[in-house]
Amino acid sequence: MRLINVKAFLDREELIREGKRVDRRAKVLEFGDDEATEYVVLSHRWIEQEVDYNEVVKLARMDEEERTQVRQRDGYQKIVQSCEQAKKDGYKWLWVDTCCIDKRSSAELSEAINSMYRWYKNSRICYAYLHDVHGSSFPIADDNERYYKLNGWPEWFSRGWTLQEKIAPWNLQFFNKDWYPIGDKRTLSPILEAVTGVPPGILKGGLSSNRPCVAQIMSWAANRTTTRVEDRAYSLMGLLDVNMPMLYGEGKKAFHRLQLEIIRTSNDQSIFAWGCDSISVRTGSILADEPSFFRGCDRMELMNQNEFIEYLKKYIPEEELPSTEDDRLSTFLITNRGIQIWLFLRPTLVSDSVFQALLPCRSDSSGPPVAIRLASWESNYYRDVGYTWRGGPTWTAYQDQRMQVPRLELRHVYLRYQDNDTPHCNSTFEIDDSAILKKAFASSAMWPQGSNTGNTVTLSTTDPLCVKRYSCRQKYHFTVSFGHWFDQNWIYVDCEQPGTILLIPHDLMPKRVSIYAQSMIKARAGAGTSCRIYRILKQMTGFR
């Protein structure tokens, strides 16, 4: 790692300030070993006026006007104050991410990001500079008037990178805008837990002794933001103990790659338990799109295999259960078809193609296993919209309907993880309903409104499903649903009984997709998918 020589930096600054001659050959940045060197680090919120590696190195060789412009920046003054604090604490070396990494080198940037958690962990002190705290004490309650854009707390607590910078260092000291000390993370751990959701034990002892499950760690980042989309993933690598190359420009695929790296090195199935606080995230990949999908997983923990098997005895004869030594329950592989895994599945009440899958994790220490919903389609299984059940599978629904509860079975399945957003966007259907209109039917409603123009229906990522309703004078009705799901266009016709009205709230429409998928009519793929309503109605319902 490259470190600031505190004495050399401050000596140069003093000579410049006094207008004296500066040795242009003096080095202020030198390489050091993070394992052998005693150094301190700065944790801060990046601002527009930061100072980079090249400017720090060439400061002595700049003309006076350019040098003055650099030294007047807030970013430069942060470095000066950090060096002053390091000198006061008796340390000779300082690491600051803005100027200690030559970001012109993609190889150096990638190495630094992959090593950053370790660098913070090995530091003697981490200075957390809160640029927007003006008082002489640490905030003890949220202040929505002062921090109205940041959930009532200083900006440092809302950023993605500062999560690892808070957890990794053994000694984290907070400073206000004027570099006045306002506390450390150990004494402030109750407040920090309330602000960030990170347990006091992790704040005080780090992750090495008692590492939480993947879902819980992800939940700590659920409300944090980064300037670059990719940094949502990169800032979590150290916390999740994985490494991977940087590919800025890949967008949210970075977070998908992060999850795949975790799966390659861990058998922690809580990585599939996202969606605890949402009833409609999306259907498709088993992987989450971003850390916010794990919001609500802050108490998630893994179940050991013995506990999990013991719970399953309520629903499966003991002689049919796998042994606790069975490797099938603790291994899964990434293949080009999907994630190959053994799961305990049971069909849901709504469809025999939609399943509840039990995972060996739970949302609290005394609760049952978490159950997620999967939909099968052409021998693959997709993550389905709907609840992730924190309280385990909802078998009572069958009792309420006086139906026989389907068997819970251990199945070998492939969970689709490939991103399918591209074909999901902008599917267009050209509707030919002339034959229906001749039968005295008329189009009476369309959901969502504005999704059709003339005889054309256009779907999008935000509206992947559209329903058109037809009625006649005899009060017969039917609906035609157009959708793009499981990587293809589809059409479904639903006939209503006399005296009933099939109205579907728009926010509940996506829940019908996986239920209808097995009986849908596949539409011809392409930008202009022609749809002859009369032919499809006869094919699906026998309508004459």
Side-chain angles (χ1 to χ4, degrees):
M1 65 189 304
R2 190 183 282 110
L3 294 163
I4 297 174
N5 184 319
V6 171
K7 184 178 185 306
F9 188 95
L10 291 177
D11 286 350
R12 185 181 72 176
E13 176 60 18
E14 184 176 1
L15 289 172
I16 295 174
R17 192 181 300 140
E18 294 176 354
K20 297 180 179 179
R21 184 173 178 274
V22 179
D23 183 358
R24 297 186 175 188
R25 296 171 299 176
K27 291 184 177 181
V28 296
L29 293 175
E30 300 182 41
F31 283 100
D33 184 343
D34 65 289
E35 299 285 350
T37 308
E38 293 189 352
Y39 63 94
V40 294
V41 298
L42 173 66
S43 174
H44 62 114
R45 166 69 176 108
W46 279 42
I47 54 178
E48 293 182 0
Q49 295 183 322
E50 298 296 349
V51 178
D52 63 22
Y53 163 81
N54 194 50
E55 291 170 321
V56 167
V57 170
K58 294 185 176 181
L59 189 72
R61 297 192 290 273
M62 293 178 180
D63 60 50
E64 186 174 351
E65 182 179 352
E66 185 180 7
R67 182 191 299 170
T68 300
Q69 188 274 329
V70 171
R71 291 178 58 246
Q72 288 178 342
R73 295 181 199 170
D74 290 341
Y76 183 82
Q77 291 305 312
K78 275 191 293 189
I79 300 173
V80 173
Q81 294 298 328
S82 298
C83 286
E84 294 283 6
Q85 188 62 44
K87 179 181 178 181
K88 186 185 301 183
D89 291 334
Y91 291 96
K92 299 178 180 179
W93 303 99
L94 167 70
W95 187 82
V96 181
D97 55 359
T98 54
C99 64
C100 290
I101 307 170
D102 186 355
K103 300 174 184 66
R104 296 171 300 181
S105 167
S106 58
E108 181 173 335
L109 178 60
S110 182
E111 179 186 1
I113 291 178
N114 276 278
S115 306
M116 206 170 289
Y117 182 86
R118 189 183 77 242
W119 291 350
Y120 276 94
K121 182 180 178 182
N122 289 341
S123 67
R124 295 301 186 264
I125 306 175
C126 177
Y127 303 140
Y129 177 62
L130 309 185
H131 73 281
D132 49 0
V133 173
H134 298 267
S136 59
S137 60
F138 191 89
I140 59 174
D142 59 340
D143 186 342
N144 289 310
E145 184 174 343
R146 179 182 292 275
Y147 309 110
Y148 64 95
K149 293 182 179 179
L150 305 165
N151 298 320
W153 295 96
E155 190 175 9
W156 187 86
F157 294 97
S158 69
R159 307 304 298 178
W161 287 104
T162 56
L163 177 60
Q164 69 170 2
E165 296 164 14
K166 177 183 65 175
I167 294 173
W170 180 83
N171 185 359
L172 177 68
Q173 304 284 338
F174 290 99
F175 294 83
N176 71 359
K177 179 179 176 59
D178 300 317
W179 281 91
Y180 182 85
I182 54 176
D184 65 89
K185 75 171 181 177
R186 280 179 171 73
T187 57
L188 294 170
S189 60
I191 298 174
L192 297 179
E193 180 189 21
V195 178
T196 65
V198 181
I202 300 297
L203 292 170
K204 295 177 181 179
L207 292 170
S208 55
S209 58
N210 185 23
R211 179 176 290 274
C213 67
V214 169
Q216 185 180 151
I217 294 175
M218 292 284 198
S219 75
W220 302 339
N223 297 316
R224 291 177 176 258
T225 59
T226 58
T227 303
R228 300 289 295 269
V229 172
E230 296 86 353
D231 285 337
R232 296 177 191 173
Y234 303 158
S235 62
L236 290 170
M237 291 193 303
L239 292 168
L240 294 162
D241 197 24
V242 296
N243 297 97
M244 64 184 196
M246 308 296 101
L247 296 172
Y248 282 104
E250 65 178 327
K252 74 175 186 180
K253 289 182 180 179
F255 194 64
H256 291 174
R257 278 203 302 129
L258 175 69
Q259 293 167 86
L260 292 175
E261 288 299 324
I262 294 169
I263 291 170
R264 288 187 180 99
T265 59
S266 167
N267 61 2
D268 186 338
Q269 292 188 27
S270 74
I271 197 170
F272 305 129
W274 49 266
C276 281
D277 71 340
S278 174
I279 64 171
S280 182
V281 182
R282 55 117 171 95
T283 292
S285 172
I286 191 66
L287 304 178
D289 288 343
E290 57 184 54
S292 65
F293 281 36
F294 289 89
R295 189 179 290 116
C297 295
D298 51 299
R299 297 179 63 189
M300 192 75 68
E301 64 176 41
L302 296 179
M303 299 176 71
N304 65 49
Q305 201 149 301
N306 288 334
E307 290 177 305
F308 189 51
I309 295 295
E310 192 63 32
Y311 177 85
L312 294 173
K313 288 179 181 178
K314 300 177 184 179
Y315 305 104
I316 301 177
E318 190 167 353
E319 61 272 14
E320 297 182 17
L321 283 169
S323 68
T324 55
E325 292 79 23
D326 195 325
D327 286 340
R328 290 180 299 174
L329 301 184
S330 59
T331 58
F332 38 99
L333 302 173
I334 298 173
T335 73
N336 60 355
R337 180 176 166 184
I339 297 172
Q340 180 181 332
I341 189 171
W342 288 87
L343 289 175
F344 285 95
L345 301 181
R346 187 196 298 270
T348 61
L349 180 63
V350 294
S351 171
D352 59 3
S353 64
V354 180
F355 299 86
Q356 289 179 340
L358 271 64
L359 304 177
C361 57
R362 54 194 174 193
S363 60
D364 59 70
S365 58
S366 59
V370 165
I372 62 173
R373 198 159 85 163
L374 301 175
S376 65
W377 175 250
E378 294 183 342
S379 74
N380 276 338
Y381 286 75
Y382 294 72
R383 181 63 192 273
D384 192 29
V385 291
Y387 289 97
T388 293
W389 289 276
R390 300 190 195 196
T394 54
W395 310 139
T396 54
Y398 292 98
Q399 297 172 1
D400 294 343
Q401 298 290 330
R402 297 183 180 181
M403 298 172 63
Q404 181 179 358
V405 180
R407 286 177 59 83
L408 187 65
E409 296 179 353
L410 181 61
R411 293 194 187 184
H412 186 238
V413 301
Y414 288 88
L415 305 178
R416 185 172 177 83
Y417 66 85
Q418 292 85 347
D419 186 14
N420 62 345
D421 273 0
T422 301
H424 189 180
C425 301
N426 302 324
S427 294
T428 301
F429 295 81
E430 296 175 0
I431 303 172
D432 179 1
D433 56 5
S434 56
I436 291 294
L437 300 179
K438 291 178 181 179
K439 298 285 185 180
F441 279 85
S443 176
S444 59
M446 173 75 78
W447 300 274
Q449 294 181 356
S451 57
N452 71 306
T453 304
N455 290 331
T456 300
V457 172
T458 301
L459 307 179
S460 65
T461 301
T462 53
D463 285 313
L465 180 67
C466 174
V467 177
K468 189 168 187 178
R469 187 166 184 266
Y470 292 85
S471 305
C472 73
R473 289 189 296 272
Q474 288 79 17
K475 297 184 179 179
Y476 286 93
H477 316 278
F478 68 90
T479 58
V480 182
S481 301
F482 309 89
H484 186 102
W485 228 258
F486 303 121
D487 296 337
Q488 60 189 290
N489 295 326
W490 62 266
I491 301 167
Y492 186 85
V493 175
D494 205 354
C495 293
E496 304 171 17
Q497 298 298 321
T500 64
I501 299 179
L502 223 173
L503 293 177
I504 313 165
H506 182 225
D507 60 343
L508 297 180
M509 285 184 192
K511 293 187 178 182
R512 300 175 61 137
V513 176
S514 53
I515 299 170
Y516 292 161
Q518 303 300 328
S519 56
M520 74 190 190
I521 299 295
K522 295 181 185 178
R524 178 173 57 83
T529 299
S530 179
C531 169
R532 292 184 178 274
I533 298 293
Y534 184 65
R535 173 178 56 81
I536 293 172
L537 187 61
K538 290 201 314 181
Q539 185 175 348
M540 296 190 70
T541 67
F543 177 82
R544 295 289 184 270

